[in-house]
Amino acid sequence: MAFVTANWNPLGEAFYRKIELYEMGWNLKDGLRECLVAAAPYGGPIALLKEPQRRSPSVRPQLEIYSSSGVAMASFPWKSGVVKQLGWTVCDDLLCIQEDGTVLIYDLFGNFKRHFSMGNEVGQSQVVEAKVFHSPYGTGVAIVTGASRFTLATNIDDLKLRRLPEVPGLQGAPTCWAVLTQDRQSKVLVATGADLFILDYTSPPGLSPQATSIVHMCVSFSYKYLALFTDSGHLWMGTANLKEKLSEVETKVRNPPKQMAWCRRPKSQQPSVVIMWDGHILVAGECKNTISYHLEGVSILVPELDGVRIINGTHHELLQEVPASCEEIFKIASMAPGALLLEAHKEYEKESQKADEYLREIKEQNLLGEAVKQCVEAAGHELEAETQKTLLRAASFGKCFLSNFPPEPFVSMCRDLRVLNAVRDYTVGIPLTHTQFKQMTVQVLIDRLVYRKLYPLAIEICRYLKTPEYQGVSRVLKHWACCKVQQKEEADEVIARAISLKLGEAAGISYSEIATKAYECGRTELAIKLLEFEPRSGEQVPLLLKMKRSQLALSKAIESGDTDLVYTVVTYLKNEMNRGDFFMTLRNQPVALSLYRQAQIGHLQSAVDEYNKAKNEFAAKATEEEMRLLRFQKKLEEEKGESLVGFSLHDTIRTLLAVGLHKHAEQLYKDFRVPDKRYWWLKLTALAEKEDWEEIEKFAKSKKSPIGYLPFVEICVKHHNKYEAKKYVSRVTPEQKVKAHLAVGDLEGAADAAIERRNDGEISTVLSRCSPSTDRALVERLNRAKATAAKK
Amino acid sequence: MAAHLSYGRVNLNILREAARKELREFLDKCAGSKAIVWDEYLTGPFGLIAQYSLLKEHEVEKMFTLKGGRVPPADVKNIIFFVRPRLELMDIIAENVMSEDKLQPPREFHILFVPRRSLLCEQRLKEQGVLNSFTNIDEYILDLIPYDGDLLSMESESAFRECYLENDQTSLYHTAKGLMTLQALYGTIPQIFGKGECARHVANMMLRMKREFAGSQNQILPVFDTLLLLDRNVDLLTPLATQLTYEGLIDEIYGITNGYVKLPPEKFAQKKPGEGGKDLPTEPKKLQLNSAEELYAEIRDKNFNAVGAALSKKAKIISAAFEERHNAKTVGEIKQFVSQLPHMQAARNSLANHTSIAELIKDITSEFSSFSLLSLSHFLNYFCQVLPFSSRVTSEVFFDNLTVEQEFMTGVDTDKVNTYIEDCISRKDPLIKILRLVCMQSVCNNGLKQKVLDHYKREILQTYGYEHILTLNNLEKVGLLKPQTTTRNNYPTIRKTLKLWMEDANEQNPNDISYVYSGYAPLSVRLTQLLARPGWRSIEEVLKMLPGPHFEERQQLPTGLHKKRQQGENRTTLVFFLGGVTYAEIAALRFLSQMEDGGTEYVIATTKLINGTSWIKSLMDRPEAQIS
């Protein structure tokens, strides 16, 4: 396969290759001449601003946005101020940095999003140069003004401007500068003459003495390395912290370069810097020799994680170090296991027995696993579908001879490549390499596709990669729907139906987000229709309130059962509505009403209770009685000085009896129609407490007791007066006799009563209370009675 | 510490661990030393999740009880309030924050709402002008707390009151959330059955929440086969009846809170010869009650009449074990004996404790005679010893009370004014006792005749004070007390169809759940039992007589998670009592789990563990003033 290596160039130990990605779809008259160009990394979009320096106020430059393959995405005349620099954010928004320090943000389709300023002091001195940079914190902007002052914003989404200290002894604009991100901080590195400034004065170790001025510099994609170009034509390469020098190459070109970019990959063998002048580029690495390419027309370099893209008026190419696995396999006369496996497979296809020889050779060295791995890896690095296939077939062939080779790397590589080939397609125009794809993750790729409104492709990819619905298909559909609601020409009905039809079965869709979008576009009715599909009330309610659909919000909140949500609505309503409407609204929602009542603690409660009482005859009567009692208590308090108010009727009577006010007690008993039984109990207890035995006896004889006489016995015993108790035993009903006798401790009497009644249970009870030693005769009698009782 | 949680059919320790993890995460959010200010009500439930040691590991140095004024001085960086979302507590917190000593180094304030943050509370803090003083306002979602190996409780005291009286469904929302958490840990429950308005509501919310979470599908093999949601108001009768299991009686008499019981100390005094009766401890004895204690696990669900036999059997085994030492001849044998000593001593202590508790209960419950009604005679046979007189009076009261309860439950004279109740009112017995009985009569008669009801109400108001009209009102609202609207009393039909009364309940070796109430089989548990076999279709008629709808829902399982049941493997059902459950009901369900041919094992969840007293108390107006 000699043709694979045809475009390889050696550089030191490594090879470099330049691959054509696209023939650009755009049609530019003058190529990239006199254009401001910005191309986003990871195969992102390209922005062009033609002739930014206006010749006359009437001529407006044109701002154009293209995909990486040169397919037009937007184009509009530039109406704002003079643009100094274009750049892309990490989420594919376009930044246009103007001379006056204003930064305008546009989306991929040229829609204006917002703007911010890099500080007021920029105004007079104007921006001389600006740079857009990326860090783990987002996208940042750095500018230098005509007064040579630097201002820096690390994250444009959380704008904090930092004015950097002045550079000592700097006259006029600095020759060159770069932004570094180190130790979680963004710093500007400035060259003046042969010196570099960060925060401290420093000079790179081992810079050629011939050099008197650093004229260009560039930082690697990872901010780890720095390259400097001097007026003597030397290229210095080292670490960004300036602690270490990697190499220095003499280019023999003294012109300052147009652009420089690091060209390295993770685990690079020969990291290099690409230097561009008009008409040619040079690749310089650690070794002394260099590679030189001729360039057609004006070009720009786009540094990537694993190479440099070169874009000119007609073509789009990728320059990169040949990945190790590709080199192993395709290098001429390579004996690497991957190369042998590829050879074996080729022979196998030709049905030649040589296949077996090659295979045996690999297997003898026990390297078949390694060979398969190399082929799979190399396939990932190739852009040609045919080459990918060849390599994967070889890998698959080799796998057959391995017993427990894990299938995942092979399978996932096949899947990844299919996705990559799809997005690299000319119509999509995202020329991602496998390394970049892995770094970027599928999530982000899907986001980018969604951002480009390539919904069907995004969904296909999600389905193909089996991304969980929630993060995959559902998310894409949601974005689609958000875009759909902005189509003003279609009727609410149509859109709502279209959305519900498509989103119907997808899980975890947030309809409220879509509805919010619709509301923002002024389509309230559509928003309400969409909200109906939202399963989470917590999401529905705030938007409904925002749209002033309070009734609906309230019923949705109640439906959810989340009382806190109901409170939210109620509180909102109370502030928004007048009192009458507020209560009218609540009246129809009993749950809300009761919650509101609780919140008001008691205020309304008492009123409601009044209402309840009024409706309830019994309660009304009881209240009346209570008032009557109160009057009585007050009167008596005044007359007798007994404190009674607050006592229940029961306790009032009891107190009266206790202090001997029998007549008054009697009066209450009659007035309040206290049942006889209760009154008897009450009087009995009250008298016993006073130990007024005489009165009790009188009371017992006053008429037939409605509560019987056992209570008399028991209460006397309770107050330790067995003598009095015995007086009432004879009057107790036969059923309670045993109990009464036992209460006063009269075992014999109890035994007599029990035997007389021939009740087995009662006899046993008495027995259980007898002690066998002292009451032997009684026990015998009882046992005999028990026996006769049992016989019957 | 919580090993007993993992021994059940379902390892509930997973839930506890999840809760602990979340607590640790919150504590670590507040960097530096901290002091916790507790809403006192929360300390009990939290004790079931984390001991002080866990808090200490996360730099909690001091703990205070939430009260007005200033937070006591403590040299800590953070003050964290652990509170329920209650408005009155917000006012106290505001007072605390505002009276903070300005001269001291500033302390950071945080609030942890349990079980959920509430907008209303935050609003109140804002009104008080202190909302911005808090660095963290967070919620600690403590819905279902593992209580024992087969028992979960939300420990939400007022759930029944809120749902049925105040029409506030917050606790139902928490229930549904709690069940979602449970499903996240133990898999989607494929079948949901329910009876009652609240049950319907909870099921609806669950299904709704499931749709909300759609997309993040749960890939856990389901542990529970069925969920049964039961409204407490489907069975108002059971909690009113006096529980007659060991654990139930402990709760009835002394009250079990958050797994602990406080007992009068006299019986626990260490009896050492020569010391006589002096130095009796005065502090109540606090004991933890759960299945971690082997003996307790064995006897707690027995009818109290069977406890004595179990204890004496255990005593024999233990003393036999101690006797073993005489047989230990060789060094090896002695060593083995000694190694078992700690376990044996623990068993002996446990035995001593429970013998004391049983004696305490016996003093109160045991009757001297056998004026027994129905199966009560069994109940009294065991402890027929001569008792001191005072306890005989209390035991008589207990017995009379029980007799009336059983009369009501069997439908004797439920339509007339009951003389025993009248007598109790006349004697001004504790109001809650009266209310329990009157409510029970009302429930067993499907409402009382207006005349009877008014008579009781008048008696109660005249005796205990007119202010109780609000309490009576509350009881009417929740249906515990009601006038008869139809002439037909359907309770007897329900009783007969569901076999709620078993004449020959065997307390020693039970063969039916009715043993837990010595005759009465709790309706709720009967419904559960019938659901498992033969299914509710057989009792449609009766279900219609009980309040609220009954329903069945199915939740789709992702393919591959359908359980393949082994031959003879039991089903697992989670029974959720909305509004509370009694220990006797739990005992009955455990009995069903253990039945050899039962085929179903039960895990029980509830909003709160209740008994008739605590339940009625929760419904009283101004409940704190009524503790009698």
Side-chain angles (χ1 to χ4, degrees):
Chain A
M1 287 183 97
F3 69 91
V4 174
T5 54
N7 60 351
W8 289 18
N9 285 300
L11 182 72
E13 295 288 292
F15 287 91
Y16 272 74
R17 65 179 177 187
K18 194 150 74 92
I19 311 161
E20 172 161 314
L21 294 170
Y22 301 110
E23 196 169 324
M24 296 306 274
W26 61 35
N27 189 12
L28 302 177
K29 245 194 291 167
D30 303 318
L32 299 178
R33 204 160 347 118
E34 285 190 55
C35 276
L36 265 183
V37 188
Y42 292 100
I46 305 167
L48 285 182
L49 186 64
K50 282 179 195 160
E51 298 179 3
Q53 304 292 341
R54 258 180 260 183
R55 291 206 190 106
S56 71
S58 59
V59 181
R60 293 225 156 103
Q62 193 74 9
L63 183 73
E64 292 171 343
I65 299 172
Y66 294 96
S67 78
S68 277
S69 53
V71 174
M73 294 170 84
S75 170
F76 59 97
W78 184 255
K79 292 176 189 164
S80 297
V82 177
V83 176
K84 269 285 161 194
Q85 180 72 39
L86 294 174
W88 291 95
T89 69
V90 278
C91 40
D92 277 358
D93 280 329
L94 180 63
L95 299 177
C96 306
I97 305 163
Q98 295 193 146
E99 217 169 44
D100 60 357
T102 314
V103 181
L104 292 88
I105 306 180
Y106 289 82
D107 76 5
L108 206 52
F109 298 97
N111 301 311
F112 177 72
K113 288 179 87 168
R114 63 187 178 95
H115 72 92
F116 64 90
S117 166
M118 289 299 288
N120 298 328
E121 67 281 357
V122 180
Q124 304 88 29
S125 50
Q126 304 219 306
V127 176
V128 174
E129 213 183 333
K131 283 187 185 356
V132 175
F133 59 97
H134 305 285
S135 72
Y137 310 101
T139 302
V141 173
I143 56 160
V144 58
T145 64
S148 299
R149 289 300 300 264
F150 286 91
T151 305
L152 190 107
T154 308
N155 180 7
I156 56 160
D157 290 324
D158 177 21
L159 197 66
K160 280 188 194 110
L161 294 177
R162 261 172 51 217
R163 272 197 94 188
L164 300 179
E166 264 179 87
V167 183
L170 181 63
Q171 305 284 318
T175 41
C176 60
W177 57 284
V179 183
L180 285 178
T181 297
Q182 279 176 345
D183 308 330
R184 302 201 273 169
Q185 241 199 340
S186 298
K187 297 170 182 164
V188 170
L189 188 66
V190 190
T192 124
D195 300 323
L196 285 176
F197 292 90
I198 306 180
L199 286 174
D200 310 311
Y201 169 86
T202 182
S203 74
L207 187 65
S208 275
Q210 302 103 297
T212 57
S213 176
I214 298 165
V215 294
H216 207 105
M217 66 169 90
C218 74
V219 185
S220 70
F221 202 77
S222 61
Y223 293 102
K224 274 195 195 131
Y225 301 95
L226 178 71
L228 306 168
F229 194 85
T230 64
D231 56 349
S232 57
H234 285 84
L235 177 74
W236 180 93
M237 289 186 257
T239 54
N241 57 17
L242 298 168
K243 292 261 161 67
E244 206 183 312
K245 174 181 168 180
L246 293 176
S247 79
E248 194 169 40
V249 178
E250 202 190 334
T251 61
K252 300 196 178 88
V253 185
R254 300 228 164 187
N255 299 337
K258 270 274 159 63
Q259 204 184 346
M260 266 175 22
W262 275 90
C263 182
R264 46 177 299 125
R265 57 164 55 254
K267 294 182 209 142
S268 223
Q269 298 178 31
Q270 178 75 249
S272 66
V273 173
V274 181
I275 315 162
M276 181 176 80
W277 290 272
D278 281 333
H280 77 288
I281 56 173
L282 201 71
V283 185
E286 283 173 18
C287 58
K288 287 293 158 205
N289 51 348
T290 56
I291 309 168
S292 175
Y293 292 104
H294 173 71
L295 281 186
E296 290 282 341
V298 179
S299 304
I300 61 154
L301 301 177
V302 186
E304 289 280 7
L305 176 67
D306 56 346
V308 173
R309 284 186 290 134
I310 304 162
I311 304 169
N312 68 11
T314 52
H315 286 86
H316 191 164
E317 291 169 313
L318 172 69
L319 175 64
Q320 63 168 186
E321 183 188 323
V322 175
S325 50
C326 297
E327 190 187 320
E328 294 268 21
I329 291 172
F330 293 118
K331 200 163 75 180
I332 292 157
S334 167
M335 292 298 279
L340 292 177
L341 179 59
L342 187 65
E343 212 51 43
H345 182 246
K346 252 193 256 170
E347 295 301 333
Y348 169 75
E349 298 239 287
K350 282 192 240 158
E351 299 182 9
S352 150
Q353 90 283 1
K354 273 194 189 155
D356 185 48
E357 282 170 29
Y358 281 119
L359 259 182
R360 212 182 290 269
E361 198 176 330
I362 312 172
K363 283 186 97 173
E364 270 164 17
Q365 301 176 61
N366 227 354
L367 286 173
L368 190 52
E370 179 62 29
V372 174
K373 236 176 81 193
Q374 273 181 0
C375 286
V376 171
E377 238 181 80
H381 292 301
E382 289 300 326
L383 296 182
E384 282 293 324
E386 274 315 311
T387 320
Q388 293 167 359
K389 278 185 198 162
T390 315
L391 286 164
L392 286 173
R393 282 205 192 100
S396 160
F397 172 69
K399 243 155 54 74
C400 301
F401 301 94
L402 285 166
S403 51
N404 44 18
F405 188 79
E408 292 87 19
F410 180 79
V411 173
S412 67
M413 182 57 80
C414 290
R415 284 212 187 108
D416 289 352
L417 280 177
R418 196 152 173 219
V419 171
L420 283 175
N421 289 340
V423 299
R424 281 173 194 157
D425 186 86
Y426 173 79
T427 52
V428 179
I430 303 179
L432 277 182
T433 65
H434 190 254
T435 319
Q436 289 165 16
F437 174 63
K438 281 291 155 200
Q439 176 73 22
M440 178 188 211
T441 71
V442 190
Q443 291 303 321
V444 178
L445 178 61
I446 300 293
D447 278 341
R448 301 235 155 150
L449 291 174
V450 163
Y451 200 49
R452 285 169 164 75
K453 300 191 181 169
L454 298 167
Y455 304 112
L457 178 62
I459 289 182
E460 278 311 311
I461 290 177
C462 290
R463 294 216 172 110
Y464 179 68
L465 291 180
K466 299 204 170 75
T467 319
E469 275 211 340
Y470 191 69
Q471 301 160 345
V473 176
S474 297
R475 207 160 50 104
V476 178
L477 282 173
K478 187 197 81 191
H479 284 287
W480 167 80
C482 283
C483 172
K484 185 87 184 162
V485 295
Q486 296 175 44
Q487 296 177 354
K488 298 240 154 68
E489 63 279 8
E490 287 196 61
D492 291 348
E493 254 328 302
V494 180
I495 292 182
R497 201 161 346 109
I499 289 177
S500 77
L501 215 62
K502 233 185 208 116
L503 273 59
E505 65 276 29
I509 293 266
S510 166
Y511 281 92
S512 58
E513 269 179 61
I514 305 167
T516 309
K517 201 87 199 171
Y519 176 63
E520 280 167 12
C521 304
R523 306 183 76 161
T524 313
E525 285 309 312
L526 177 58
I528 291 171
K529 280 200 177 76
L530 289 170
L531 269 185
E532 281 299 313
F533 300 117
E534 173 65 62
R536 285 169 296 182
S537 320
E539 304 286 320
Q540 287 174 317
V541 172
L543 185 60
L544 284 170
L545 285 180
K546 219 158 98 190
M547 299 192 296
K548 307 238 179 294
R549 302 293 158 127
S550 38
Q551 283 280 3
L552 200 55
L554 186 58
S555 57
K556 289 285 173 206
I558 290 166
E559 218 174 274
S560 78
D562 181 352
T563 34
D564 205 42
L565 206 56
V566 182
Y567 282 137
T568 314
V569 182
V570 171
T571 331
Y572 177 87
L573 291 182
K574 206 177 142 218
N575 295 335
E576 291 289 306
M577 290 179 159
N578 66 43
R579 226 178 138 70
D581 289 348
F582 174 62
F583 280 108
M584 282 303 277
T585 311
L586 283 199
R587 208 184 52 178
N588 299 325
Q589 299 285 5
V591 174
L593 188 61
S594 47
L595 286 175
Y596 176 71
R597 243 190 253 144
Q598 260 171 279
Q600 297 291 303
I601 319 173
H603 281 314
L604 278 175
Q605 186 72 51
S606 54
V608 171
D609 290 333
E610 284 304 326
Y611 171 73
N612 279 346
K613 277 181 200 160
K615 218 181 160 187
N616 186 332
E617 211 176 310
F618 176 84
K621 229 157 82 192
T623 319
E624 208 182 285
E625 250 187 28
E626 185 178 3
M627 277 153 42
R628 220 165 56 191
L629 177 65
L630 209 62
R631 275 198 294 273
F632 181 87
Q633 288 170 333
K634 278 204 178 132
K635 195 174 133 223
L636 218 63
E637 262 189 36
E638 281 160 25
E639 283 173 14
K640 309 280 174 190
E642 275 299 324
S643 135
L644 292 169
V645 173
F647 281 12
S648 71
L649 178 63
H650 183 97
D651 292 339
T652 312
I653 298 178
R654 191 190 175 110
T655 316
L656 292 176
L657 289 170
V659 296
L661 293 167
H662 293 275
K663 277 235 177 72
H664 289 94
E666 203 79 11
Q667 191 200 332
L668 281 180
Y669 153 61
K670 279 177 188 144
D671 280 2
F672 286 86
R673 290 183 295 131
V674 176
D676 286 351
K677 267 162 90 179
R678 187 145 58 81
Y679 184 67
W680 275 69
W681 268 111
L682 185 52
K683 189 161 176 180
L684 179 62
T685 349
L687 292 176
E689 244 157 53
K690 259 172 65 184
E691 306 204 345
D692 191 347
W693 309 118
E694 211 174 308
E695 194 65 34
I696 290 181
E697 201 169 347
K698 244 165 59 193
F699 182 46
K701 284 173 183 158
S702 63
K703 61 179 180 180
K704 191 173 177 290
S705 160
I707 54 173
Y709 293 90
L710 187 60
F712 282 80
V713 177
E714 283 179 344
I715 204 121
C716 293
V717 174
K718 195 174 159 200
H719 290 275
H720 312 290
N721 194 334
K722 280 195 183 169
Y723 173 77
E724 283 294 326
K726 280 180 182 151
K727 285 185 184 168
Y728 306 101
V729 173
S730 61
R731 303 184 66 175
V732 170
T733 54
E735 295 83 41
Q736 296 176 322
K737 272 255 161 69
V738 178
K739 229 175 173 178
H741 279 292
L742 285 176
V744 296
D746 176 10
L747 278 178
E748 208 125 334
D752 287 344
I755 291 166
E756 195 180 321
R757 279 170 46 75
R758 294 175 183 160
N759 182 308
D760 184 49
E762 287 178 11
I763 294 171
S764 309
T765 313
V766 181
L767 261 177
S768 73
R769 300 281 296 280
C770 296
S771 123
S773 51
T774 50
D775 315 305
R776 191 177 300 152
L778 205 57
V779 172
E780 271 171 30
R781 238 180 84 207
L782 283 164
N783 277 334
R784 242 181 290 129
K786 204 174 169 185
T788 36
K791 260 181 217 157
K792 281 200 286 175
Chain B
M1 182 60 231
H4 62 288
L5 295 179
S6 11
Y7 296 152
R9 172 68 188 260
V10 175
N11 182 358
L12 295 181
N13 212 12
I14 298 175
L15 186 65
R16 184 170 181 268
E17 279 308 318
R20 285 164 70 93
K21 183 164 160 267
E22 211 180 316
L23 183 62
R24 281 196 291 259
E25 277 167 11
F26 174 78
L27 288 174
D28 289 342
K29 238 193 235 176
C30 317
S33 57
K34 27 199 158 285
I36 295 179
V37 182
W38 287 97
D39 171 355
E40 208 163 17
Y41 179 84
L42 289 176
T43 49
F46 260 85
L48 295 165
I49 297 294
Q51 273 72 39
Y52 185 48
S53 56
L54 179 137
L55 300 175
K56 223 169 166 178
E57 276 165 32
H58 294 263
E59 296 181 83
V60 175
E61 290 172 1
K62 284 266 167 58
M63 310 236 262
F64 305 112
T65 306
L66 182 67
K67 53 175 182 274
R70 181 182 293 180
V71 178
D75 186 18
V76 290
K77 215 174 138 247
N78 302 284
I79 302 280
I80 312 176
F81 294 95
F82 277 35
V83 288
R84 286 168 295 161
R86 298 246 171 147
L87 289 177
E88 62 273 19
L89 298 180
M90 295 308 112
D91 295 345
I92 302 179
I93 291 179
E95 196 184 329
N96 279 179
V97 171
M98 284 188 291
S99 54
E100 178 77 354
D101 195 340
K102 301 285 183 298
L103 298 174
Q104 295 293 321
R107 304 188 281 192
E108 275 187 40
F109 290 100
H110 314 266
I111 297 185
L112 189 62
F113 281 115
V114 185
R116 282 221 157 68
R117 63 192 291 175
S118 125
L119 196 95
L120 210 61
C121 287
E122 282 170 48
Q123 188 72 31
R124 174 62 67 99
L125 290 173
K126 202 171 166 189
E127 282 164 20
Q128 300 268 19
V130 293
L131 188 64
N132 293 327
S133 316
F134 295 96
T135 319
N136 276 311
I137 296 185
D138 235 310
E139 59 182 9
Y140 182 63
I141 304 172
L142 189 65
D143 292 318
L144 285 167
I145 305 165
Y147 216 94
D148 211 325
D150 57 355
L151 181 58
L152 299 160
S153 169
M154 295 171 60
E155 290 302 280
S156 152
E157 195 117 54
S158 48
F160 184 85
R161 184 187 172 100
E162 284 167 13
C163 292
Y164 298 93
L165 186 61
E166 289 164 356
N167 202 11
D168 173 357
Q169 293 165 338
T170 311
S171 58
L172 298 183
Y173 180 71
H174 291 174
T175 304
K177 281 275 183 191
L179 283 165
M180 294 313 284
T181 313
L182 209 64
Q183 290 188 93
L185 292 171
Y186 297 99
T188 306
I189 306 175
Q191 251 183 332
I192 304 176
F193 289 94
K195 170 74 188 162
E197 291 290 347
C198 292
R200 180 69 263 185
H201 198 68
V202 168
N204 284 349
M205 280 192 280
M206 280 174 72
L207 297 173
R208 193 191 169 88
M209 287 171 188
K210 181 153 190 282
R211 273 198 292 142
E212 292 181 13
F213 290 126
S216 49
Q217 239 165 18
N218 190 339
Q219 294 296 339
I220 299 169
L221 198 70
V223 174
F224 297 104
D225 299 286
T226 310
L227 166 66
L228 171 60
L229 294 162
L230 277 180
D231 271 33
R232 184 71 271 175
N233 83 338
V234 169
D235 173 15
L236 292 171
L237 175 56
T238 306
L240 292 171
T242 305
Q243 309 170 64
L244 296 177
T245 58
Y246 182 52
E247 191 169 37
L249 273 171
I250 295 176
D251 188 37
E252 292 277 347
I253 298 167
Y254 299 106
I256 301 175
T257 32
N258 305 124
Y260 285 89
V261 65
K262 281 184 186 163
L263 297 161
E266 301 84 29
K267 296 253 177 185
F268 297 93
Q270 292 285 332
K271 285 184 200 97
K272 278 182 193 149
E275 268 186 33
K278 55 185 178 182
D279 295 343
L280 275 178
T282 45
E283 282 278 299
K285 171 101 175 166
K286 199 172 171 190
L287 280 177
Q288 190 173 21
L289 299 174
N290 60 38
S291 59
E293 191 182 348
E294 194 187 314
L295 175 63
Y296 187 63
E298 214 172 288
I299 59 173
R300 64 174 167 187
D301 298 322
K302 286 191 187 305
N303 186 294
F304 186 65
N305 271 339
V307 168
L311 285 177
S312 70
K313 199 170 116 201
K314 193 77 182 180
K316 275 182 201 136
I317 293 171
I318 291 174
S319 55
F322 275 99
E323 284 308 307
E324 282 288 306
R325 70 172 183 270
H326 299 303
N327 303 333
K329 294 283 191 302
T330 67
V331 177
E333 281 167 348
I334 292 170
K335 207 171 160 190
Q336 202 199 342
F337 176 80
V338 171
S339 72
Q340 285 171 350
L341 260 181
H343 176 76
M344 284 161 58
Q345 266 155 355
R348 189 164 62 178
N349 283 345
S350 159
L351 180 71
N353 279 342
H354 287 290
T355 310
S356 303
I357 299 174
E359 270 173 28
L360 280 170
I361 295 175
K362 182 193 69 190
D363 287 353
I364 289 171
T365 59
S366 168
E367 239 299 38
F368 66 93
S369 92
S370 25
F371 285 107
S372 56
L373 178 107
L374 311 165
S375 64
L376 262 181
S377 54
H378 304 288
F379 188 73
L380 307 161
N381 283 342
Y382 184 73
F383 293 102
C384 261
Q385 295 168 10
V386 179
L387 297 167
F389 187 78
S390 64
S391 70
R392 206 153 64 228
V393 172
T394 43
S395 65
E396 205 173 317
V397 168
F398 182 86
F399 175 75
D400 290 344
N401 197 55
L402 211 55
T403 311
V404 175
E405 280 184 15
Q406 301 212 338
E407 275 175 2
F408 287 157
M409 288 192 284
T410 45
V412 177
D413 288 341
T414 49
D415 54 345
K416 294 194 208 106
V417 172
N418 182 288
T419 25
Y420 177 72
I421 297 180
E422 273 188 317
D423 289 352
C424 288
I425 297 176
S426 306
R427 283 197 302 261
K428 209 179 174 189
D429 280 354
L431 176 59
I432 290 181
K433 172 185 166 182
I434 311 293
L435 294 175
R436 262 178 96 158
L437 285 171
V438 174
C439 290
M440 192 172 201
Q441 188 180 353
S442 168
V443 173
C444 290
N445 199 48
N446 193 22
L448 296 168
K449 279 188 197 142
Q450 192 69 52
K451 233 177 79 189
V452 176
L453 181 62
D454 283 354
H455 175 76
Y456 279 138
K457 276 160 73 173
R458 225 171 85 89
E459 293 277 284
I460 290 168
L461 293 184
Q462 287 195 346
T463 308
Y464 296 92
Y466 290 100
E467 64 271 24
H468 295 289
I469 191 157
L470 292 175
T471 299
L472 293 173
N473 233 328
N474 291 349
L475 294 175
E476 276 192 61
K477 261 195 213 164
V478 301
L480 273 167
L481 204 58
K482 58 177 182 186
Q484 211 168 34
T485 42
T486 54
T487 42
R488 211 178 121 63
N489 172 12
N490 56 22
Y491 174 72
T493 324
I494 297 172
R495 187 184 72 226
K496 279 173 204 142
T497 323
L498 298 182
K499 298 201 180 74
L500 296 187
W501 188 261
M502 304 296 277
E503 284 296 341
D504 44 0
N506 185 340
E507 292 155 349
Q508 303 292 333
N509 297 301
N511 49 13
D512 181 75
I513 55 168
S514 57
Y515 85 92
V516 297
Y517 285 99
S518 292
Y520 167 70
L523 195 160
S524 56
V525 183
R526 202 56 114 200
L527 287 180
T528 313
Q529 188 182 13
L530 289 167
L531 176 69
R533 198 178 295 169
W536 275 357
R537 205 154 297 162
S538 60
I539 50 164
E540 284 278 339
E541 286 303 309
V542 173
L543 281 175
K544 274 184 201 145
M545 288 179 197
L546 297 168
H550 57 280
F551 60 87
E552 179 186 353
E553 297 283 353
R554 278 174 193 278
Q555 300 200 90
Q556 278 298 318
L557 288 179
T559 39
L561 289 187
H562 291 280
K563 214 175 183 175
K564 284 166 204 82
R565 203 176 308 285
Q566 304 290 318
Q567 183 71 35
E569 191 189 333
N570 284 343
R571 299 174 59 82
T572 308
T573 296
L574 177 66
V575 190
F576 205 120
F577 290 86
L578 302 163
V581 68
T582 65
Y583 285 100
E585 286 173 297
I586 295 169
L589 284 168
R590 284 184 183 143
F591 170 76
L592 290 180
S593 293
Q594 281 156 14
M595 279 215 310
E596 277 185 13
D597 52 350
T600 308
E601 284 185 52
Y602 295 96
V603 174
I604 301 125
T606 182
T607 49
K608 173 80 188 153
L609 288 153
I610 55 166
N611 58 46
T613 305
S614 65
W615 190 40
I616 296 285
K617 204 186 271 177
S618 80
L619 289 169
M620 290 177 84
D621 213 69
R622 286 182 298 154
E624 65 282 1
Q626 309 301 338
I627 298 161
S628 48

